[in-house]
Amino acid sequence: MIDFDKSAGLVPVIIQDFQTLEVLMLGYMNEEAWEKTLAEKRVTFYSRSKNRLWTKGEESGNFLELRSYHIDCDQDTLLLFVEPKGPTCHTGSRSCFNTEYNQNFILQLERVIQQRIDNPQEGSYVNSLRTKGLNKIAQKVGEEAVETVIAALNETETDLINESSDLVFHLLLLLKEKGLSLETIAKNLEGRHQ
């Protein structure tokens, strides 16, 4: 239960991309905005400058679709995981915090690979590898792993970055082909760390 009374009827709301976990923006909600967000599964804030409810994307079409949420331990702050339907910031940036790049792009890449699997497109590299079968995908992971080792030992930093990128991409595809995700790997690594 959210305690709207603690801060004069408004609570801060942190918005994160549900896939990349990138922090996109901070807004405020009153109880009416929260109820509308829950009912429509689309984020609505209380605009302090407009003094009214404001659904993010109502003018731009860049809505924030609610995927899940968490209430903090003091029950006076919300964390919303959303699927952004376009740039979040009014400036056209992905995030209101003007980060140079998406530090969690690998999670977004995982989503793109899954979309290519779910909706095969002619000419897609993912599709062409998948039509060759699991053995070919696994072989590519092996090839890229060897090329990464060679680059680490004998080539430039740029070569190592490029080969490592190829390795990660093909590993993501292999995991998806086997019905696994980075989340599964992260949970396994976290369990080992404990």
Side-chain angles (χ1 to χ4, degrees):
M1 188 76 168
I2 303 165
D3 189 348
F4 287 98
D5 294 329
K6 269 188 187 175
S7 41
L10 293 178
V11 296
V13 182
I14 302 162
I15 303 294
Q16 274 188 278
D17 185 301
F18 85 102
Q19 183 66 38
T20 68
L21 306 180
E22 182 179 19
V23 175
L24 301 175
M25 69 174 290
L26 171 73
Y28 293 88
M29 286 185 182
N30 62 9
E31 194 166 359
E32 186 181 2
W34 176 235
E35 289 172 0
K36 184 174 182 186
T37 296
L38 288 177
E40 297 178 357
K41 303 293 185 225
R42 184 172 276 174
V43 179
T44 294
F45 296 102
Y46 181 81
S47 171
R48 296 170 299 163
S49 60
K50 298 174 185 174
N51 200 29
R52 67 170 177 86
L53 294 185
W54 164 66
T55 299
K56 174 69 179 107
E58 65 188 23
E59 293 177 17
S60 67
N62 298 330
F63 295 104
L64 299 172
E65 305 293 343
L66 180 66
R67 288 301 192 102
S68 64
Y69 67 89
H70 299 277
I71 303 170
D72 80 327
C73 58
D74 293 326
Q75 298 179 320
D76 60 1
T77 303
L78 282 163
L79 173 62
L80 274 54
F81 290 98
V82 303
E83 181 177 355
K85 298 297 184 179
T88 299
C89 186
H90 70 279
T91 65
S93 294
R94 179 180 66 257
S95 165
C96 291
F97 295 101
N98 280 333
T99 52
E100 273 185 52
Y101 62 95
N102 180 354
Q103 295 176 8
N104 295 319
F105 177 76
I106 196 165
L107 298 172
Q108 185 176 342
L109 179 59
E110 181 184 39
R111 185 171 57 194
V112 169
I113 290 170
Q114 186 63 57
Q115 289 169 345
R116 299 280 163 80
I117 290 170
D118 294 343
N119 305 297
Q121 299 174 1
E122 187 150 344
S124 159
Y125 181 67
V126 169
N127 192 45
S128 69
L129 268 182
R130 291 190 74 237
T131 59
K132 295 175 184 171
L134 180 61
N135 287 344
K136 182 61 177 176
I137 296 170
Q139 178 186 347
K140 283 298 290 179
V141 171
E143 288 172 9
E144 298 302 342
V146 169
E147 290 172 6
T148 299
V149 170
I150 292 169
L153 297 175
N154 300 316
E155 297 178 11
T156 68
E157 182 179 283
T158 299
D159 293 327
L160 177 58
I161 291 168
N162 286 328
E163 295 302 342
S164 297
S165 297
D166 290 345
L167 174 60
V168 169
F169 173 84
H170 288 92
L171 180 59
L172 284 174
L173 178 56
L174 179 63
L175 289 172
K176 284 295 176 189
E177 191 68 20
K178 295 295 291 181
L180 298 171
S181 68
L182 283 175
E183 182 180 359
T184 305
I185 303 305
K187 285 179 181 175
N188 186 51
L189 289 170
E190 183 181 29
R192 289 181 186 185
H193 180 69
Q194 297 172 358

